[in-house]
Amino acid sequence: MINGPQRLGKYELRQQLGRGNIGEVWQAYDLQLRHDVAIKIVYPDIQSDPHFFARFMQEGQVLASLRHPNIVPLQDVAILRPPQQGGGSTAYMVTEYVKGKTLADYINETVRKGHFLSPNEIVYLFTSLGVAIDYAHQKGFVHGNVKPANILLDETRRTQFAAGEPMLTDLGMARLVGEAVSIGTPLYMSPEQAQGKSANNRSDIYALGVILYELCTGVQPFRDTSSVAVMMQHINALPTPPSLINASVPPALSEVILRAMAKDTATRYPMASLLATAIADAYAIQSTITFMPGQINALQAQEQHKDEAGQSSLLGVAQPQMKPPTRPLQPSQPLPAIPPVPHSPNVTRKIPVTPFPPLPEEVTQIQPPIIPVPSAMDVRSGDTGRQVALQKTTSIPLSPLSTVSAPPLLEKTPVLQQPDRRRGIFGMPEVPLYMVVAILLLLLLVIGSIIGINMLTNQNQQEVVAFSGHVFFEDDPLGHDDVISITLQNLPSPPAGHMYVLWAELNGQYVNISTVASGSTATATYTSPTHINLLTHLQRVLLTSEMVGSQPSQPGTLLYTASIDANIASYINALLLSTPGLPPNQSVALTLLNTMQSLNDKAGSIVDSLQGTHDDGLATRQATRIIEMLDGTHYAQQSGDLPAKDAPQLNVALGLLSAPHANGYLDIFAQQLNLLKQHAGNNSSLLQHIQNVSNGLTDLKNWLQKLHDYDVQLLKAANLNTPTTISIALQLKQLAADSYAGRTVPPRASPSPELGSAGALQAYVEAQYLATLDLHAA
């Protein structure tokens, strides 16, 4: 485009930085002001529109008036007209030159290699971009092409973000060059843009959701060799939930990502700053965004819509509603249904499925959230943990009121004649005055006593029954069970001049967790600074009464306390800390979940290899790893499930499913669960959690047996690129996803710890619920 001397007006063009679908980008030097600038030179064919130059200059002047610290400022728009007739004019725009890399470069250097951003970095990045985009929207400018390549990282400003202050560039291109020119990039294009519609404010929200998805998982949600195929996926396909790709993504953040990427524009966040705030909330980080009155109204309208609907629809799939202070379930999106592949008659499983007997109907039902955690077996780089958010809901069935049939009405009987005597007031026989007074005093005494007794009884019942407190063990990204979460309900007001304080007793030392507000539901958390497993170090949680204004280092007046029941402590430790028969300090619950997460990743990799890269060798190696994880390497070879031509990849000593010489993880888990059940007594809540874990193990046995059969068919297939083989691989992927994240059974909006729905995640979270501590009066 540039011929002759590399000059454009008063600018000297020094280095071409890139080419886009609108024009070339150059680093240039302002010869008058003597500083570097960036220049975008519009392609000649775009300038063929007869109204182009007038629109370009008019919109450019408006765009140049925008000033925001996270938007690259437009300094000038100009049209260079050649001195001779017949030469074409050149339209260009001049912006500040930002020294530094793009976010796309940064992603390639970090996230693509498994080095994910910290929660604080993600929150700061999207807070900066969100406020900038909202500013542009308020000025009437939709970006329409938000992508990592259009986010520059100013390396001269690194106080908040180590890579450089994020700055949005290429703002307002649609208005400058005309909407007839497509400015979107397929990988980050909203569904409405892919359908040929104009970009709107929520198209930019969708693009931010795609970028967040990429930063959290290392991949874009939709990928293909064809741009058209990618655009069709944006329109029709459901992205894989981020938590199934990177287990360190908190469930609440996964929900935020899916909502930002909703197909329906009305379901997305109405403002980018609201998306940024939701990201901060998901990480339990205080947002720095201050909303203006108009934004507050939008936020209130958004929450009101959610309250009225009871649930929101993300990506066309119903999702549970998020309400503080507890966090919602993160549903696992079911994969598209695939016609079933015939069961292989030559592959059978040795261990029958033996579900636990159902509990009585009166046992309390508890619906927990999903807690994805990192994989310890062949986990992807960066999958170091997962924040856990527990939610407990109890419903107590009420017995119907018994009905009593009323006796028949007595027939009217004649009034007997009474002897004639003097009558007093109201026709009653006259009674001496002193007797009336005595009777009244006696009645008052009786009534007062009854009222006093009732008041004392109600007060005592209120103090004892109304208060409830529970302590849950949770995971965070850096450890397992290194967080305790405490919920208190209906805490009465403390005595005048006093306050409540929560304590944790760890190895004989007291840690002041927090001061507790009274009179309402209160929550508190404590995270081990060294991320030790608190199950092994926590003796008690205490609630004490302290003087207002004091800063106690030791507990004062003890009111309530909670500790693990000594009768079941060893059995819970066997499930969650160190399981007999496994290597030291290896938990069967966590190992099962880690293995299932890794297996799920490999099943997805097989489909990606067969449909995308066509790497048959990688698909075979992943299928080999899966059969080793299911059977154990030795038995997989001995039984012929792993063909002799395929070399082992993992050398797994113990499989998920049992072999003739050893029980697998599922049966070891079930055995330890039965031991706990034998000592649970009449604890209905504990028994229900045991049943819920059993539901997950039962489903896993059923689903993993079918998954085993599909995997063997892939290993023994002569050709991996037939429609039948691809269908088998898709079925394998779907079963792996169900086994890991659970299966959504309508009318529920997400997997639940029930037969036919529960998977490894549900079994794990229910196993953690087994260690719940209940606060009781000291």
Side-chain angles (χ1 to χ4, degrees), residues 438-759:
I439 292 172
L440 289 176
L441 288 175
L442 181 62
L443 288 173
L444 288 174
L445 180 62
V446 172
I447 293 172
S449 300
I450 294 173
I451 293 175
I453 292 172
N454 286 338
M455 291 178 64
L456 289 174
T457 303
N458 291 338
Q459 183 178 0
N460 291 335
Q461 288 179 345
Q462 203 170 32
E463 291 177 354
V464 176
V465 177
F467 169 76
S468 65
H470 307 284
V471 183
F472 306 101
F473 291 88
E474 303 178 358
D475 300 341
D476 80 348
L478 299 177
H480 295 289
D481 293 322
D482 58 343
V483 179
I484 55 173
S485 175
I486 306 166
T487 63
L488 306 174
Q489 292 182 330
N490 301 322
L491 187 63
S493 297
H498 289 73
M499 62 182 181
Y500 293 125
V501 176
L502 275 169
W503 303 81
E505 184 180 356
L506 299 168
N507 298 328
Q509 302 294 319
Y510 293 103
V511 177
N512 187 325
I513 297 177
S514 68
T515 302
V516 180
S518 62
S520 62
T521 299
T523 61
T525 59
Y526 169 77
T527 302
S528 166
T530 56
H531 299 283
I532 59 174
N533 193 312
L534 295 175
L535 272 171
T536 63
H537 298 274
L538 179 70
Q539 280 88 48
R540 291 187 299 166
V541 171
L542 305 91
L543 181 68
T544 65
S545 175
E546 313 288 349
M547 295 295 295
V548 172
S550 63
Q551 296 181 345
S553 58
Q554 294 289 321
T557 303
L558 181 60
L559 301 177
Y560 296 94
T561 182
S563 59
I564 295 181
D565 185 349
N567 295 325
I568 62 173
S570 62
Y571 303 103
I572 291 178
N573 289 344
L575 287 166
L576 299 177
L577 289 175
S578 182
T579 304
L582 298 183
N585 301 320
Q586 183 174 338
S587 154
V588 66
L590 183 58
T591 302
L592 173 66
L593 184 64
N594 290 339
T595 306
M596 285 308 310
Q597 192 269 347
S598 181
L599 188 151
N600 180 62
D601 287 343
K602 290 169 177 55
S605 175
I606 291 175
V607 173
D608 290 343
S609 299
L610 296 182
Q611 291 189 323
T613 61
H614 302 291
D615 188 343
D616 293 355
L618 175 59
T620 299
R621 291 192 296 273
Q622 296 289 50
T624 299
R625 295 182 177 105
I626 288 176
I627 201 64
E628 290 182 81
M629 295 163 72
L630 290 171
D631 281 352
T633 302
H634 175 73
Y635 185 66
Q637 291 177 308
Q638 184 184 53
S639 64
D641 290 345
L642 178 61
K645 63 180 179 63
D646 297 321
Q649 301 290 315
L650 299 177
N651 294 315
V652 176
L654 194 65
L656 291 167
L657 299 170
S658 293
H661 67 281
N663 284 333
Y665 285 112
L666 289 179
D667 285 323
I668 292 174
F669 202 151
Q671 290 170 356
Q672 295 299 324
L673 199 63
N674 270 319
L675 290 175
L676 175 60
K677 184 178 181 181
Q678 293 171 16
H679 294 81
N682 296 323
N683 187 329
S684 61
S685 178
L686 181 62
L687 288 170
Q688 183 61 61
H689 290 305
I690 292 173
Q691 181 63 52
N692 292 344
V693 176
S694 174
N695 291 341
L697 298 180
T698 300
D699 285 343
L700 279 173
K701 280 191 175 183
N702 285 323
W703 295 340
L704 290 182
Q705 175 60 66
K706 297 175 184 177
L707 189 150
H708 173 280
D709 297 346
Y710 287 123
D711 193 62
V712 170
Q713 291 182 59
L714 289 178
L715 287 169
K716 297 183 177 181
N719 185 354
L720 290 177
N721 293 299
T722 66
T724 299
T725 308
I726 298 296
S727 178
I728 293 172
L730 289 169
Q731 287 282 46
L732 177 77
K733 178 181 178 181
Q734 180 167 338
L735 279 168
D738 289 342
S739 300
Y740 174 61
R743 178 178 292 174
T744 299
V745 179
R748 295 190 180 274
S750 61
S752 60
E754 300 170 348
L755 279 175
S757 180

Side-chain angles (χ1 to χ4, degrees), residues 177-192:
V177 301
E179 293 186 355
V181 180
S182 175
I183 62 172
T185 302
L187 288 172
Y188 305 90
M189 184 178 290
S190 67
E192 58 271 16

Side-chain angles (χ1 to χ4, degrees), residues 95-108:
T95 67
E96 175 185 303
Y97 176 71
V98 178
K99 186 178 181 181
K101 63 190 67 173
T102 67
L103 182 60
D105 298 327
Y106 182 72
I107 289 174
N108 289 331

Side-chain angles (χ1 to χ4, degrees), residues 282-516:
Y283 279 123
I285 295 175
Q286 181 65 43
S287 175
T288 59
I289 296 177
T290 301
F291 291 104
M292 300 300 289
Q295 295 173 315
I296 294 175
N297 292 337
L299 177 60
Q300 291 173 340
Q302 170 192 351
E303 295 303 320
Q304 181 179 0
H305 172 73
K306 290 167 59 180
D307 289 341
E308 292 172 353
Q311 62 182 17
S312 57
S313 176
L314 307 181
L315 306 171
V317 179
Q319 306 289 328
Q321 180 181 354
M322 183 186 347
K323 288 186 178 181
T326 56
R327 298 200 179 276
L329 310 182
Q330 169 55 38
S332 302
Q333 305 291 353
L335 297 174
I338 307 294
V341 177
H343 178 78
S344 174
N346 299 322
V347 184
T348 58
R349 176 47 51 192
K350 290 68 63 178
I351 305 300
V353 177
T354 55
F356 277 62
L359 292 178
E361 294 182 356
E362 63 269 15
V363 175
T364 301
Q365 295 292 330
I366 299 177
Q367 302 298 335
I370 294 173
I371 307 180
V373 296
S375 172
M377 183 183 293
D378 194 24
V379 72
R380 295 183 180 181
S381 177
D383 290 356
T384 57
R386 182 160 189 95
Q387 182 176 352
V388 175
L390 298 176
Q391 177 180 354
K392 184 173 181 180
T393 305
T394 305
S395 60
I396 303 177
L398 299 177
S399 301
L401 296 175
S402 58
T403 58
V404 180
S405 57
L409 295 176
L410 297 178
E411 295 181 0
K412 186 175 180 180
T413 56
V415 179
L416 299 178
Q417 291 289 336
Q418 298 293 335
D420 186 13
R421 65 180 65 181
R422 294 181 58 189
R423 300 282 174 177
I425 301 174
F426 306 116
M428 296 294 293
E430 187 174 335
V431 179
L433 180 60
Y434 70 88
M435 293 184 63
V436 174
V437 174
I439 292 172
L440 289 176
L441 288 175
L442 181 62
L443 288 173
L444 288 174
L445 180 62
V446 172
I447 293 172
S449 300
I450 294 173
I451 293 175
I453 292 172
N454 286 338
M455 291 178 64
L456 289 174
T457 303
N458 291 338
Q459 183 178 0
N460 291 335
Q461 288 179 345
Q462 203 170 32
E463 291 177 354
V464 176
V465 177
F467 169 76
S468 65
H470 307 284
V471 183
F472 306 101
F473 291 88
E474 303 178 358
D475 300 341
D476 80 348
L478 299 177
H480 295 289
D481 293 322
D482 58 343
V483 179
I484 55 173
S485 175
I486 306 166
T487 63
L488 306 174
Q489 292 182 330
N490 301 322
L491 187 63
S493 297
H498 289 73
M499 62 182 181
Y500 293 125
V501 176
L502 275 169
W503 303 81
E505 184 180 356
L506 299 168
N507 298 328
Q509 302 294 319
Y510 293 103
V511 177
N512 187 325
I513 297 177
S514 68
T515 302
V516 180

